[in-house]
Amino acid sequence: MSGLDYARADTLDVALFMNENPLASGPEGIEPVLAAIDEHAAGLAPDRIAGKSLTNYSRAAVKRLIARQQGSKIVLDLLRRADPETLYTMSFVRSGPVGFWLRIVIPFDYFEEAGRAEQRSRDLVSLVRALCEVCRPAYGYAHSKGDLMSGSDPHTGDPFAPAEVYEVYWLNVYGAEMVERKGRERVLSTPAAHLEELPGGGILLLTRPTPVDYASEEARSAQAQALAHLRDDVSSEEALARLRERSAKLAHVTRDWEPDIADLLELTLDSVSYSERQQETARLNAYRPPEVTEWRPLAELLPSDAEDPAAEAARYSDLYAEQLAALLRKDVPAVMEGGPDSLPRIDYHFWRFDYPGTFPREDIESDLVRAVGAYLGEVMVNHLGGRWVSRRNVDESQVVVGERAWLPFLRARRYLHSKESALDYSLTQFYRAAARAAGPDAAS
């Protein structure tokens, strides 16, 4: 699953932390784990193994790959490239409170398909049960990624965190030691949609038949009641209030973004965690960049005062704009095409890496302003039919498009004032304002 998809869409994250390392006796030890996956994964069965390259999945291939790995920790990724794209990450360690942990990432919408939620949820429970039968669990869960990231469970980042009831999820696995510590009778009497004992003394508990409505009032009430039952320090009222806050935080927010920079804002949204996306969407709904003012009417055009206007314009194209292309060619490959589609990604790059806050101001002024301004002007020349009118003061250099003279170097100077200026004075907004003013007859 690509990082971008993972950031933009919710997933059902499954995590199982097992006491023993099945590879302690060698690569053959993984055979029962793979058998459980093969027999119970149903529509989530892996079809590839990720290593230096992708190879077709088979148990024999997995064992060969494990045999080649050395060290105190072995990590193995199995993928399902077919829909639904699913990731299995297995980690094995020689010593520690947990010997093996498995994380499974499944697109959440797999469980939302009409008429299939219950069967697919039962299939996943079957897979979890089978894995817990072949490896003794210490702790585990399956729940929405967005909600997990808003919670307090350290296991989302630390597999060696103590096995405790931090939260209650859609699916919960409590190992035998955890159950005995809480009291078996108490755990068995937890209010739940489904509860069963696992071989070896563990318990599997579901708060709802499917994960689909995890943030609904009914599901939140079930989670709160179960949490209060299992923890003496939490009341159901306190837990429910906290869970309602999380549901509100995750509730969908309809976008109302400035159209000229909507694709740029979409890129910045990918920099926040999934659990913060809706709140950030609401913040961006209120954001409006300043109006584009770096232009003058054609009647106020400043004539060129350069000694050789044509040579100066060629310098903008052949030197300055090429400097930006050379700087960004790896991080923003679209810069090499020099088209308007590259501008949102260039804006995002400068916003993300905060050049004004990283490099000396004199370097920004002497090099980067000219490179950015020239590149922006060249896009206008090549795609809007513009023409350069060069000036000794580069901030006054203009690109004439239609009935206006635009000032790309002045725009670039303002753009590179601060990190946030990359949004306030984006190249994207400037170009689109010029294209709109030029009308439908402008070159594309």
Side-chain angles (χ1 to χ4, degrees):
M1 180 169 294
S2 72
L4 194 58
D5 289 342
Y6 189 81
R8 289 182 173 176
D10 201 4
T11 55
L12 187 77
D13 285 13
V14 183
L16 297 172
F17 306 92
M18 312 300 197
N19 288 295
E20 288 91 19
N21 179 353
L23 301 183
S25 58
E28 286 295 328
I30 201 173
E31 180 69 26
V33 176
L34 299 179
I37 293 173
D38 290 347
E39 292 170 21
H40 297 278
L44 303 174
D47 53 30
R48 298 289 189 276
I49 308 168
K52 292 182 178 178
S53 61
L54 286 181
T55 58
N56 290 335
Y57 168 79
S58 71
R59 294 190 209 176
V62 169
K63 286 182 277 191
R64 284 197 301 271
L65 189 59
I66 287 173
R68 294 180 193 141
Q69 295 196 45
Q70 298 179 353
S72 59
K73 181 178 180 181
I74 292 175
V75 178
L76 178 70
D77 283 344
L78 306 180
L79 307 174
R80 178 181 176 83
R81 296 295 298 274
D83 187 42
E85 189 178 349
T86 304
L87 170 65
Y88 298 74
T89 296
M90 302 180 181
S91 302
F92 309 86
V93 293
R94 289 183 179 176
S95 61
V98 172
F100 164 48
W101 62 94
L102 168 63
R103 297 187 187 272
I104 310 173
V105 180
I106 309 163
F108 200 86
D109 60 11
Y110 174 72
F111 297 93
E112 295 177 314
E113 188 174 337
R116 299 193 175 183
E118 292 193 5
Q119 183 57 55
R120 287 175 174 178
S121 299
R122 286 194 293 269
D123 289 342
L124 182 62
V125 171
S126 242
L127 174 59
V128 170
R129 182 188 299 116
L131 289 165
C132 290
E133 287 174 357
V134 299
C135 291
R136 189 165 58 93
Y139 178 64
Y141 54 75
H143 200 66
S144 151
K145 169 191 64 184
D147 202 39
L148 275 167
M149 295 168 72
S150 298
S152 60
D153 195 333
H155 285 88
T156 56
D158 179 8
F160 302 127
E164 301 288 349
V165 180
Y166 299 96
E167 310 273 357
V168 170
Y169 306 108
W170 167 64
L171 181 151
N172 308 267
V173 172
Y174 304 139
E177 294 84 353
M178 195 173 170
V179 171
E180 296 308 320
R181 197 165 60 247
K182 282 288 178 186
R184 181 164 294 274
E185 184 176 342
R186 178 181 186 177
V187 178
L188 285 172
S189 63
T190 304
H194 172 78
L195 188 150
E196 66 179 85
E197 294 188 80
L198 298 168
I203 285 177
L204 186 153
L205 179 156
L206 296 182
T207 51
R208 295 283 292 157
T210 82
V212 173
D213 66 342
Y214 74 90
S216 69
E217 184 66 17
E218 189 171 2
R220 291 309 199 186
S221 179
Q223 295 161 25
Q225 290 178 36
L227 186 65
H229 177 85
L230 292 168
R231 285 179 50 174
D232 295 327
D233 62 333
V234 177
S235 72
S236 59
E237 293 77 14
E238 291 170 338
L240 184 57
R242 210 162 44 239
L243 290 168
R244 283 171 173 163
E245 287 179 4
R246 278 162 47 179
S247 292
K249 180 180 177 181
L250 293 165
H252 176 72
V253 175
T254 300
R255 295 178 183 178
D256 181 23
W257 293 348
E258 170 62 44
D260 274 352
I261 58 169
D263 44 359
L264 169 57
L265 297 183
E266 175 73 35
L267 293 171
T268 69
L269 192 62
D270 292 332
S271 67
V272 304
S273 68
Y274 181 81
S275 62
E276 304 291 334
R277 282 181 73 88
Q278 300 308 319
Q279 288 187 313
E280 181 66 4
T281 296
R283 189 188 73 81
L284 294 174
N285 281 348
Y287 171 71
R288 292 294 182 271
E291 184 180 350
V292 174
T293 59
E294 297 85 3
W295 62 276
R296 54 172 56 98
L298 194 57
E300 299 175 15
L301 175 72
L302 297 177
S304 177
D305 61 359
E307 291 183 8
D308 187 338
E312 188 66 15
R315 195 192 319 275
Y316 298 161
S317 172
D318 299 336
L319 178 60
Y320 299 151
E322 287 299 320
Q323 287 174 344
L324 188 71
L327 175 67
L328 301 186
R329 67 182 186 278
K330 290 183 180 179
D331 293 324
V332 188
V335 75
M336 301 305 293
E337 298 175 8
D341 290 345
S342 69
L343 299 178
R345 296 199 171 275
I346 292 171
D347 289 336
Y348 173 67
H349 175 86
F350 278 101
W351 174 83
R352 181 184 178 192
F353 289 101
D354 186 15
Y355 281 64
T358 305
F359 297 100
R361 191 68 219 172
E362 55 268 27
D363 292 345
I364 299 288
E365 295 286 343
S366 63
D367 298 323
L368 208 48
V369 166
R370 291 184 180 229
V372 170
Y375 182 90
L376 176 59
E378 280 297 295
V379 175
M380 298 172 72
V381 167
N382 294 326
H383 295 271
L384 295 178
R387 62 180 175 86
W388 280 108
V389 178
S390 55
R391 299 277 297 175
R392 291 177 183 175
N393 177 354
V394 74
D395 283 2
E396 295 178 350
S397 290
Q398 305 140 105
V399 174
V400 175
V401 177
E403 298 300 313
R404 294 185 181 184
W406 299 85
L407 304 166
F409 289 104
L410 179 59
R411 181 71 173 192
R413 189 173 304 282
R414 291 171 176 171
Y415 174 76
L416 292 165
H417 177 71
S418 68
K419 174 184 171 77
E420 290 306 318
S421 294
L423 299 185
D424 291 341
Y425 299 97
S426 70
L427 311 184
T428 302
Q429 182 196 16
F430 184 85
Y431 176 86
R432 289 173 179 170
R436 189 162 47 249
D441 294 332
S444 60

